[in-house]
Amino acid sequence: MKILVCISKTPDTTAKIAFTDNNTKFDVNGVQWIINPYDEWYSLVRAIELKEADASTLIHLVTVGAADAEPIIRKALALGGDEAIRVNTDSHDSFYIAAQIAEVARQGGYDLVFTGKETIDYNGSSIGGMVAELLDLPYISLATKFELAGTTATVTREIEGGEEVNEVALPFVLSATKGMAEARIPNMRGIMAARTKPLKVQEPVAVDALTSVSGFGLPPAKAGVKLVDAENVEELVRLLHEEAKSI
Amino acid sequence: MSVLIFIDTAEGHVKKASLEALTYGAKVAEQLGTTAEAVVLGTTQDDLPALGKYGVKKIHHVNNDNLNHLDAQVYTKVIAEVAAACGADTIIFSNNVNGKAIAPRLSARLKAGLVAGAVALPDTSQGFVVKKNVFSGKAYAMISVSTPVRIIALSPNAYQTLAGEGTAEVVAFNTSADAPKVKLVSVNKASGEVPLTEAEIVVSAGRGMKGPEHWGIVEELARTLHAATACSRPVADAHWRPHNEHVGQTGFAIAPNLYIAIGISGAIQHLAGVNRSKVIVVINKDPEAPFFKAADYGIVGDAFEVVPRMTAAIKKLRGIA
């Protein structure tokens, strides 16, 4: 079985969010970059577990980005991928990225394409669905559990107020969220092995982006907390009722 | 030209998030000087013409057994057909679980620019620009869509539902939907509880509760407020509470009208999931808890004393003995 795992580089969850160039660009100054947590903790680790259960499984990683994405993809290889493909381009919008991933997927003939449910920078939740449509494959989003028996997968996905279990035959595309797997830390052996694993660089296919960012902004700061004495909880309830009108 | 709104259903009932999408879509249509139409797939049990009160004029109902459960691939094809038939140039979804599955597919199919997680009406003064949250609610971006057809997936709880007068004309839309490849095996829903992502009020608790056996007071407060319950990541990781209650960067991102955080310190990863809440109340015995900086109201005190008092005060306010 061959699995393609999509890896995105995102700012660390604690990174300071600021913008430059008249609020049109994210300020990368001093930002630590990480593997998008949904890609790493849930999608990649579940793929690695599948390989551990069946050693013939091949895991390929794909990232769409410039050379500065390579430390991220090496870290992903250290966790357990077999080889990686970097599509050498500055990322544009989600459709542009999805089209690049779909092209890599077409070339590789994968049984499964795994993505995280969203990236923590653009929060689009779009890549998996777009890749699935471009490949004309089924798509299961927000997957919390994945089990495989032969060529049929049983996938649990989040729904409002609960979850549902779906059955679908390979090949298909999935987006992973919490529950799929537990976070892991790469070990020394993995880190050493990752140095010599193949990392192919290929040029992007020509695709037009469908959207662009015309500007960023920060939400207005909160006015400050209004503290109420612990002995006077009725006052808090009154404020919530009369002032905030939220109860 | 028209605006087409996707009406999402669960067990045949229209979801609350779709009422927001209908209200929003009707407003977009008004802005663009065109009419609001909607599409609903599969068997429904609700009064569809009554949805006209949210401003939609016409509802295309594709009643086909292949559409009674979501297979995003099948749904996308059918919605694309309906969109073509009614000449839709703007298509509206809720960015809820099903919207996240369908809208990106439709975007790729129609080469229509997608704004996923919109929080405001489009600005059409120069092109077509829609505001959405980015960096997990720590910032926003203005997304410019330049394609002839555009898709907006509206963030749940970002746009107020508004019911007026009116009845929608419901027309059957006949098409042969493909047999689904995704088969539904089972549904597991906590019955009678408010779904977290749809809740107007959320009562959430963290490690400060000291153990799962102490959750009774949290649940009692939630029941009194008709609220959903939620928790922080350490609580879910310790299996004190189920994972589907975890809100934060790697759990659910929610935007209720009121978020009450009990015994949660307010790490940046937690705030990322709740910072779009309209009003935040923090109850924590540590006055230095970072959450107070993000709160509107706060009580420095022991949750085991404050929470039951709060429940009692709300019961009194609501005239419940």
Side-chain angles (χ1 to χ4, degrees), chain B residues 10 63 80 87 92 138 153 155 183 189 195 217 220 266 272:
Chain B
N63 196 355
I92 313 286
K138 285 174 260 181
S155 208
K183 276 195 298 185
K189 260 186 175 178
I217 54 170
E220 174 69 8

Side-chain angles (χ1 to χ4, degrees), chain B residues 52-186:
Chain B
K53 66 178 180 237
Y54 300 103
V56 62
K57 297 282 179 264
K58 192 179 198 177
I59 298 174
H60 303 271
H61 187 189
V62 192
N63 196 355
N64 181 312
D65 285 346
N66 285 339
L67 300 170
N68 285 339
H69 170 247
L70 174 75
D71 178 327
Q73 194 175 15
V74 178
Y75 270 43
T76 300
K77 270 189 200 166
V78 172
I79 296 167
E81 277 181 51
V82 177
C86 63
D89 62 357
T90 309
I91 306 169
I92 313 286
F93 289 85
S94 168
N95 201 39
N96 65 351
V97 289
N98 287 353
K100 284 177 180 174
I102 309 163
R105 290 199 77 120
L106 191 66
S107 165
R109 186 176 191 87
L110 302 178
K111 304 284 176 286
L114 166 66
V115 182
V119 294
L121 288 166
D123 175 358
T124 52
S125 60
Q126 276 184 311
F128 193 90
V129 179
V130 189
K131 183 177 179 179
K132 69 159 283 186
N133 283 306
V134 289
F135 297 102
S136 307
K138 285 174 260 181
Y140 63 84
M142 305 304 292
I143 307 293
S144 172
V145 187
S146 49
T147 48
V149 178
R150 49 237 166 182
I151 302 175
I152 301 174
L154 176 69
S155 208
N157 280 337
Y159 199 79
Q160 186 90 42
T161 300
L162 191 69
E165 300 284 314
T167 306
E169 176 198 355
V170 178
V171 291
F173 188 97
N174 293 312
T175 182
S176 57
D178 295 341
K181 291 182 192 155
V182 176
K183 276 195 298 185
L184 180 65
V185 179
S186 62

Side-chain angles (χ1 to χ4, degrees), chain A residues 13 38 121-123 133 136-137 160 163-165 167 178 212 214-215 217 222 226 228 230 243, chain B residues 15 69 73 98 105 109 132 135-136 138 140 142 144 183 185-186 188 243 246 249 296-298 309:
Chain A
T13 50
Y38 293 104
D121 47 10
Y122 285 92
N123 308 115
E133 186 65 22
D136 201 20
L137 291 178
E160 283 91 358
E163 52 185 32
E164 63 177 37
V165 180
E167 233 174 53
K178 188 163 179 133
S212 59
S214 57
K222 287 258 179 187
K226 202 175 260 190
V228 177
E243 186 179 84
Chain B
K15 292 181 189 172
H69 170 247
Q73 194 175 15
N98 287 353
R105 290 199 77 120
R109 186 176 191 87
K132 69 159 283 186
F135 297 102
S136 307
K138 285 174 260 181
Y140 63 84
M142 305 304 292
S144 172
K183 276 195 298 185
V185 179
S186 62
N188 177 15
H243 279 307
H246 165 203
Q249 180 93 66
D296 299 282
Y297 301 96
R309 272 183 214 151

Side-chain angles (χ1 to χ4, degrees), chain A residues 11-15 17 19 26 37-38 41-42 94-95 117-118 120-127 129-130 132-134 136-142 154 157-169 177-179 182-183 209-219 222 224-234 236-237 239-241 243-244 246-247, chain B residues 15 69-70 72-73 76 96-98 100-101 104-105 107-109 111-114 116 129 132-147 181-190 195 197-198 201 225 233 237 243 246 249-252 257-258 268-269 277-281 292 294-301 306 309-310 313-314 316-318:
Chain A
D12 183 31
T13 50
T14 56
I17 306 302
F19 304 99
F26 175 59
Y38 293 104
W41 300 350
Y42 307 133
S94 48
F95 178 74
K117 80 156 181 180
E118 65 182 46
I120 60 166
D121 47 10
Y122 285 92
N123 308 115
S125 270
S126 305
I127 299 294
M130 288 178 172
E133 186 65 22
L134 293 169
D136 201 20
L137 291 178
Y139 175 50
I140 298 195
S141 55
L142 310 178
T154 304
R157 74 169 188 122
E158 281 172 2
I159 55 170
E160 283 91 358
E163 52 185 32
E164 63 177 37
V165 180
N166 291 161
E167 233 174 53
V168 59
T177 189
K178 188 163 179 133
E182 299 285 336
L210 307 176
T211 60
S212 59
V213 176
S214 57
F216 290 100
L218 297 173
K222 287 258 179 187
V225 60
K226 202 175 260 190
L227 286 177
V228 177
D229 193 278
E231 300 300 319
N232 196 4
V233 179
E234 289 203 354
L236 173 70
V237 170
L239 286 167
L240 289 176
H241 182 61
E243 186 179 84
S246 48
I247 61 174
Chain B
K15 292 181 189 172
H69 170 247
L70 174 75
Q73 194 175 15
T76 300
N96 65 351
V97 289
N98 287 353
K100 284 177 180 174
R105 290 199 77 120
S107 165
R109 186 176 191 87
K111 304 284 176 286
L114 166 66
V129 179
K132 69 159 283 186
N133 283 306
V134 289
F135 297 102
S136 307
K138 285 174 260 181
Y140 63 84
M142 305 304 292
I143 307 293
S144 172
V145 187
S146 49
T147 48
K181 291 182 192 155
V182 176
K183 276 195 298 185
L184 180 65
V185 179
S186 62
V187 177
N188 177 15
K189 260 186 175 178
T197 47
E198 293 194 356
I201 303 178
L225 287 167
R233 182 172 165 212
D237 284 355
H243 279 307
H246 165 203
Q249 180 93 66
T250 52
F252 284 101
N257 290 331
L258 175 62
I268 194 162
Q269 291 88 345
S277 308
K278 288 185 185 73
V279 174
I280 294 178
V281 174
F292 283 114
D296 299 282
Y297 301 96
I299 289 186
V300 179
V306 173
R309 272 183 214 151
M310 190 167 175
I314 292 160
K316 195 171 152 194
L317 173 79
R318 297 205 165 158

Side-chain angles (χ1 to χ4, degrees), chain A residues 89-165:
Chain A
T89 172
D90 287 328
S91 50
H92 299 270
D93 73 343
S94 48
F95 178 74
Y96 180 89
I97 296 166
Q100 306 305 331
I101 293 170
E103 180 58 26
V104 169
R106 263 185 220 110
Q107 291 165 4
Y110 296 94
D111 302 293
L112 283 166
V113 180
F114 276 11
T115 70
K117 80 156 181 180
E118 65 182 46
T119 59
I120 60 166
D121 47 10
Y122 285 92
N123 308 115
S125 270
S126 305
I127 299 294
M130 288 178 172
V131 169
E133 186 65 22
L134 293 169
L135 298 173
D136 201 20
L137 291 178
Y139 175 50
I140 298 195
S141 55
L142 310 178
T144 57
K145 280 194 196 86
F146 174 96
E147 299 299 336
L148 192 63
T151 56
T152 303
T154 304
V155 187
T156 305
R157 74 169 188 122
E158 281 172 2
I159 55 170
E160 283 91 358
E163 52 185 32
E164 63 177 37
V165 180

